[in-house]
Amino acid sequence: DADVTQTPRNRITKTGKRIMLECSQTKGHDRMYWYRQDPGLGLQLIYYSFDVKDINKGEISDGYSVSRQAQAKFSLSLESAIPNQTALYFCATSASGATNEQFFGPGTRLTVL
Amino acid sequence: GENVEQHPSTLSVQEGDSAVIKCTYSDSASNYFPWYKQELGKGPQLIIDIRSNVGEKKDQRIAVTLNKTAKHFSLHITETQPEDSAVYFCAASSNDYKLSFGAGTTVTVRA
């Protein structure tokens, strides 16, 4: 089984709808991240969490919110989706301590019409 | 914040030849430089990384070099094979454990 899973893998929605993307991990890592990938822009950090009670904004948090329900679960919400939020979304995890290595999930392709 | 630039954006090489991707970073506090490979339909996967106390690191056909003075680091792939075709991302991080990514390089290995 995959260590970092994301649901759904694909989603098509309409402008104004509320969308939640979910991420679960079995790696036992404390740190979790949400990234957005657009062609030619690499990966941009939306939000990150270093433990259950810690939530931090990344580079592009406007229009997004997150919830860290448990150590293993980190959800990303779009309260009112807009077309320019059409992108590939990745969740990642890393262990606490002197390491920066991040492990990525398979991604969610979101299309907002 | 950190700004990472990556070149080229696309790279086509003949099978068996070498491929080189270059990145520059802006924050002198950055001390960790990973390279990720992303295959179609998958998430990025770490292939090699280097820390600022090392100038070069090699793992079989891939190697990374770091020049702290010039603030640039490079990925070298030798004896390229079709399975090396993918998108490659460089990144930089300091002690805040956040990664700043380059825009990516699409590598195509021609048979």
Side-chain angles (χ1 to χ4, degrees), chain A residues 39-42, chain B residues 5-12 20-23 86-89 102-108:
Chain A
L41 292 180
Chain B
E5 295 190 355
Q6 182 172 347
H7 300 281
S9 57
T10 61
L11 180 60
S12 180
V20 180
I21 304 170
K22 299 182 179 182
C23 289
V87 181
Y88 292 81
F89 292 97
T105 297
T106 300
V107 174
T108 302

Side-chain angles (χ1 to χ4, degrees), chain A residues 9 31 33 35 37 40-43 45 48 50 88 90 97-102 104-106, chain B residues 31-32 36 38 41-44 46 49 51 89 93-99 101-104:
Chain A
R9 294 294 314 277
R31 300 174 186 156
Y33 310 80
Y35 291 91
Q37 184 178 22
L41 292 180
L43 292 99
L45 184 63
Y48 62 102
F50 283 176
L88 197 51
F90 287 101
T99 178
N100 305 69
E101 182 179 359
Q102 295 185 15
F104 285 80
Chain B
N31 56 15
Y32 175 69
Y36 283 82
Q38 185 180 21
K42 297 183 179 180
L46 180 73
D49 56 14
R51 295 195 180 272
F89 292 97
S93 176
S94 64
N95 290 332
D96 63 2
Y97 305 110
K98 296 185 295 180
L99 292 177
F101 285 86

Side-chain angles (χ1 to χ4, degrees), chain A:
Chain A
D1 289 342
D3 295 322
V4 183
T5 57
Q6 293 184 233
T7 55
R9 294 294 314 277
N10 289 282
R11 181 71 183 267
I12 299 174
T13 190
K14 295 181 179 180
T15 297
K17 294 292 186 181
R18 184 178 187 276
I19 295 296
M20 179 179 285
L21 309 182
E22 299 186 344
C23 176
S24 295
Q25 54 111 347
T26 58
K27 300 187 75 66
H29 289 168
D30 292 328
R31 300 174 186 156
M32 299 188 73
Y33 310 80
W34 274 105
Y35 291 91
R36 168 179 172 157
Q37 184 178 22
D38 297 278
L41 292 180
L43 292 99
Q44 296 174 280
L45 184 63
I46 307 172
Y47 271 95
Y48 62 102
S49 169
F50 283 176
D51 66 43
V52 175
K53 297 181 181 180
D54 175 76
I55 300 289
N56 303 281
K57 293 182 178 180
E59 308 166 64
I60 55 163
S61 58
D62 287 350
Y64 301 95
S65 62
V66 292
S67 173
R68 185 82 184 266
Q69 301 95 324
Q71 185 198 39
K73 296 184 181 296
F74 193 35
S75 300
L76 176 72
S77 293
L78 288 67
E79 296 301 326
S80 180
I82 56 177
N84 76 0
Q85 291 177 314
T86 292
L88 197 51
Y89 290 85
F90 287 101
C91 173
T93 74
S94 67
S96 58
T99 178
N100 305 69
E101 182 179 359
Q102 295 185 15
F103 298 82
F104 285 80
T108 294
R109 183 168 296 280
L110 177 66
T111 303
V112 183
L113 302 176

